[in-house]
Amino acid sequence: GAQGELKLLPDPGEYPAVPVGEPNVFAGEESRLQSADGRVRLRFGEGALFEDRYFALNRAAKPPRLPKGMRALSAYYDLRPGYNEFFQPYTGTLQAPASPRAAEYLLTGYRRVTPVGPTGEATPAAKGQSLYPFRVRGSGGFLVLEDRSPPEFKKIRGTTYPRDFRLFVYPADVGSGLDLETLEVKVDGVVCRTDHDKDRRRFEVFYPEHIYKPGRHTLRATVRDRAGNRSKAFVYRYRVR
């Protein structure tokens, strides 16, 4: 049969240029980078890379969209090109206004942020500023965020159980992360013990035994995040047949 023709059309999209330059982070020796305004300082250890590389650390012109309750205290800084093959994590600091609810975060996706530094442990600097430490293994975007978003409990499906069942609660937090020591669960007004299932992001409520007795029960739970935000009381009523 007749052969078709393949016509190539130019791509009208505009894409940012990939930074290319002489290596500025070196294998086998300690290397340091800082942003043009001096607010971000990075330290790469001797074992961070297996080969010399070039990285650009720039302040982004447009801040990212953030989850509800998260407020940016710093500009957004981008380390490029994308690189996830560091043998060892590198460390750094970002200077921003002081806040006990703030920490350094890595932007990992659309409106998704991950804390890469401790909350409330920044080092004081001059004129109401603090140096927020962080430790991370890949390149990407950094900024200091203040967390005023309280944790929430996910709804539990179903309200009726057979006598042989397991009882779970599902607290979650979008910012600094749950402070697991603050989780309090009561069933019928009695404090209960819980066991953390990290892989499934849930807590099993398993003691005292009265939680399994036939009849109606009321569970009430609260938790805080690492920034000190307290959840609303989660109330769940269930029945055991």
Side-chain angles (χ1 to χ4, degrees), residues 46-74:
E46 295 179 0
L49 297 175
F50 71 92
E51 63 179 356
D52 299 348
R53 300 281 298 192
Y54 170 80
F55 290 98
L57 177 60
N58 296 315
R59 176 171 172 166
K62 184 179 180 181
R65 295 188 66 184
L66 301 172
K68 183 180 179 180
M70 304 295 291
R71 184 169 74 96
L73 298 186
S74 75

Side-chain angles (χ1 to χ4, degrees), residues 31-235:
S31 303
R32 296 177 183 267
L33 288 181
Q34 72 174 43
S35 58
D37 60 11
R39 289 182 171 268
V40 182
R41 299 174 185 269
L42 306 180
R43 176 189 172 276
F44 301 84
E46 295 179 0
L49 297 175
F50 71 92
E51 63 179 356
D52 299 348
R53 300 281 298 192
Y54 170 80
F55 290 98
L57 177 60
N58 296 315
R59 176 171 172 166
K62 184 179 180 181
R65 295 188 66 184
L66 301 172
K68 183 180 179 180
M70 304 295 291
R71 184 169 74 96
L73 298 186
S74 75
Y76 177 51
Y77 297 85
D78 212 8
L79 183 67
R80 287 287 179 261
Y83 191 74
N84 296 310
E85 298 178 17
F86 293 97
F87 285 163
Q88 296 176 356
Y90 61 93
T91 59
T93 59
L94 198 164
Q95 182 176 320
S99 170
R101 295 177 182 263
E104 181 77 19
Y105 285 77
L106 176 69
L107 187 71
T108 57
Y110 177 71
R111 300 187 73 174
R112 182 177 179 183
V113 293
T114 301
V116 290
T119 300
E121 296 184 19
T123 302
K127 298 180 180 179
Q129 298 283 301
S130 287
L131 297 177
Y132 291 86
F134 59 95
R135 177 183 176 90
V136 68
R137 204 178 193 113
S139 57
F142 304 95
L143 70 171
V144 172
L145 296 179
E146 186 178 55
D147 180 5
R148 293 191 174 274
S149 176
E152 295 182 349
F153 286 82
K154 296 181 180 179
K155 292 183 179 179
I156 301 175
R157 295 181 180 179
T159 58
T160 304
Y161 297 95
R163 296 194 64 173
D164 184 16
F165 72 99
R166 299 173 70 186
L167 182 62
F168 298 98
V169 291
Y170 304 84
D173 186 73
V174 299
S176 55
L178 297 172
D179 182 351
L180 303 183
E181 299 297 325
T182 67
L183 175 66
E184 182 179 81
V185 179
K186 293 182 179 180
V187 174
D188 303 330
V190 180
V191 176
C192 298
R193 291 177 60 181
T194 60
D195 184 40
H196 187 199
D197 184 344
K198 186 176 180 180
D199 293 336
R200 298 187 179 183
R201 299 180 181 180
R202 65 186 184 181
F203 290 80
E204 181 175 4
V205 186
F206 67 92
Y207 185 82
E209 294 294 327
H210 78 280
I211 67 176
Y212 305 110
K213 290 183 178 180
R216 298 184 181 277
H217 302 277
T218 299
L219 180 150
R220 181 184 178 92
T222 60
V223 70
R224 294 180 185 270
D225 62 18
R226 294 191 181 100
N229 301 300
R230 184 183 180 89
S231 70
K232 293 182 179 178
F234 173 71
V235 178

